Amino acid sequence: MSGNFSIHRFMAIIRKEFLQLRRDPASFGIGLAMPLLLLLLFGYAINTDVDHIPTGVWDQSKSKQSREMIAKFQVSHYFDIKYDVASMEELEELMDAGDIRAALVFPPDYAYQIEQNSPVDIQILLDGSDPTAARTALSSAQMITQNQALNLQESFLKKQGFDEVKLPIQAQSRVMYNPDMDSTVFNIPGLIGLILQNVTALLTAFAMVREKERGTMEQLVVTSVRPVELILGKLVPYVLIGLFSFLLVLMTAIFWFGVPVKGSVTLLIALGLLFLVTTLAIGMLISTIAKTQLQAMQVAFAIILPSVLLSGFIFPRETMPLVIQWIGGIIPLTYFLMILRGIFLKGVSLAYLWQETLTLTGFAFLICTVAVMRFRKKLE
């Protein structure tokens, strides 16, 4: 194990690793096909847009005015009027059974109060067991009723001789970066980072641990191959597999899901390669801790779960307690998600992402150094 770095020994290790991958099609398939399959699966499954909420109605008014209001709810894409009931008990039974998530109750004097231009209440019942759906339903119902109230007030004032009614304050809204507020456009870039981290880290950890279980690692140690040649030689094939997988899921996101890359694709690939080095180092670090593939899987999932919850993939980090934000700050995926969404959605350049890039570079160097040192110590 003495001597200088040898390119011949290094290339021999790379060839040996590629031969082993060819003899192990399962691992090769996981590295290439699994990211694509997971992106297709989760790309359709993870959707935070809440619409077409099943809704029941108890219309005690049975009037033109109440039917007009019900139609306003029906034509919106937020509510699907599925049940017309005759009592509050029926509404409660439907909500208990989960058949509806919202309900509208019109009072008997609804039409009379509208004609008299008097305030009238519509009761809106919501299933709060799903807070996200309940909040969306509540805000949508309030928007629909307020718009209808303004229309009725404008109609009443025109009858009184006012030709034009102007509101004292009007909001001119403009949604930037994602005008349609499509959750797919937001989720897909995050999924790319999450899937690449999990698949590449697991693949590398399993490959290293499998060498230990088969005893082939000890056979390599007694040869003239130096530890750095062995480590780098075994990592290079997985870097290439990871890069190919990244390009594959990137093209799938663009051409299949229709998520455009507004920034530089070259910059995205370069920073994606930096992140791949970090995740492969995480896998190698796991292999220095675990003695079996089962242990490697347990350690990997102990890393994966916090990455999903604390990186900002699902929940905004700004809403988390400060201590939790600090914990999320030591997860490399946190910064790669900022890079992905910055380039995908905003089209920003490195001038806006240099802090995330610098932090990710520091993580890559630190994790690689610790992993190589531990691996060298175990080999020697």
Side-chain angles (χ1 to χ4, degrees):
M1 301 245 291
S2 60
N4 297 324
F5 183 90
S6 170
I7 190 66
H8 298 291
R9 292 193 297 261
F10 173 62
M11 294 302 298
I13 293 295
I14 294 178
R15 286 194 296 270
K16 176 244 177 214
E17 198 63 26
F18 272 119
L19 286 172
Q20 187 165 325
L21 282 171
R22 192 175 68 179
R23 294 169 183 168
D24 186 12
S27 296
F28 194 72
I30 289 173
L32 292 180
M34 187 61 71
L36 177 60
L37 293 176
L38 290 176
L39 182 65
L40 291 172
L41 176 63
F42 294 142
Y44 287 109
I46 300 177
N47 190 337
T48 55
D49 293 333
V50 179
D51 52 14
H52 299 289
I53 301 168
T55 305
V57 175
W58 181 23
D59 184 7
Q60 301 176 77
S61 177
K62 300 293 183 181
S63 62
K64 174 185 175 182
Q65 290 82 355
S66 61
R67 289 192 296 270
E68 182 181 350
M69 190 64 187
I70 293 171
K72 295 287 185 181
F73 278 84
Q74 182 65 49
V75 297
S76 74
H77 64 276
Y78 294 106
F79 298 93
D80 280 345
I81 308 298
K82 293 185 175 294
Y83 298 93
D84 187 2
V85 303
S87 67
M88 180 65 74
E89 288 74 17
E90 289 185 61
L91 283 180
E92 292 176 351
E93 288 177 3
L94 289 170
M95 194 163 288
D96 289 342
D99 295 328
I100 61 174
R101 308 298 293 273
L104 305 175
V105 179
F106 290 84
D109 62 344
Y110 179 80
Y112 175 77
Q113 298 294 345
I114 292 293
E115 291 174 355
Q116 298 299 315
N117 195 38
S118 300
V120 60
D121 293 330
I122 299 174
Q123 188 175 12
I124 302 171
L125 306 178
L126 301 172
D127 181 357
S129 60
D130 185 349
T132 301
R135 280 193 293 266
T136 301
L138 179 60
S139 61
S140 303
Q142 290 174 337
M143 178 181 65
I144 293 171
T145 54
Q146 287 172 3
N147 286 339
Q148 181 66 359
L150 287 174
N151 291 336
L152 292 172
Q153 188 68 21
E154 183 178 357
S155 177
F156 176 78
L157 291 175
K158 285 184 177 179
K159 291 179 181 179
Q160 302 300 316
F162 295 92
D163 294 332
E164 185 178 1
V165 180
K166 292 184 178 180
L167 297 176
I169 299 176
Q170 293 185 353
Q172 297 294 331
S173 60
R174 177 190 174 195
V175 180
M176 301 177 65
Y177 310 127
N178 186 9
D180 297 330
M181 292 185 287
D182 186 356
S183 63
T184 300
V185 176
F186 176 78
N187 289 331
I188 291 296
L191 275 172
I192 292 175
L194 182 65
I195 291 170
L196 284 177
Q197 172 195 266
N198 298 345
V199 173
T200 54
L202 280 172
L203 189 64
T204 312
F206 282 6
M208 297 292 189
V209 173
R210 188 167 55 244
E211 292 271 14
K212 296 180 186 178
E213 292 181 336
R214 293 176 178 175
T216 54
M217 188 69 73
E218 287 75 9
Q219 296 175 10
L220 289 171
V221 170
V222 298
T223 65
S224 60
V225 178
R226 299 184 64 204
V228 65
E229 296 166 354
L230 177 60
I231 295 167
L232 295 179
K234 292 183 72 64
L235 280 183
V236 165
Y238 295 104
V239 171
L240 296 177
I241 292 174
L243 181 59
F244 182 82
S245 298
F246 177 60
L247 295 175
L248 188 62
V249 295
L250 182 61
M251 288 188 293
T252 304
I254 296 172
F255 297 109
W256 183 268
F257 288 100
V259 181
V261 181
K262 296 183 179 179
S264 170
V265 176
T266 303
L267 177 63
L268 182 59
I269 294 174
L271 296 181
L273 183 59
L274 173 63
F275 181 68
L276 281 174
V277 173
T278 307
T279 58
L280 290 171
I282 291 174
M284 188 165 62
L285 183 60
I286 292 172
S287 71
T288 65
I289 300 171
K291 296 181 180 179
T292 65
Q293 293 186 59
L294 178 59
Q295 290 180 359
M297 181 177 293
Q298 292 171 339
V299 175
F301 276 107
I303 296 174
I304 290 171
L305 188 57
S307 298
V308 175
L309 299 176
L310 306 182
S311 64
F313 170 69
I314 298 178
F315 310 109
R317 296 184 66 240
E318 295 78 10
T319 62
M320 300 178 185
L322 191 58
V323 175
I324 304 300
Q325 291 187 40
W326 290 342
I327 297 174
I330 62 175
I331 298 175
L333 180 62
T334 300
Y335 304 95
F336 190 53
L337 290 183
M338 297 178 187
I339 291 171
L340 281 168
R341 287 166 176 163
I343 296 177
F344 260 97
L345 300 178
K346 299 182 179 180
V348 296
S349 63
L350 190 60
Y352 293 91
L353 297 172
W354 68 269
Q355 290 181 321
E356 290 80 9
T357 303
L358 191 62
T359 305
L360 196 58
T361 303
F363 273 117
F365 178 78
L366 178 63
I367 297 173
C368 282
T369 302
V370 174
V372 169
M373 289 179 63
R374 285 183 58 87
F375 207 76
R376 285 175 61 106
K377 184 176 180 181
K378 284 184 174 290
L379 288 178
E380 296 173 343

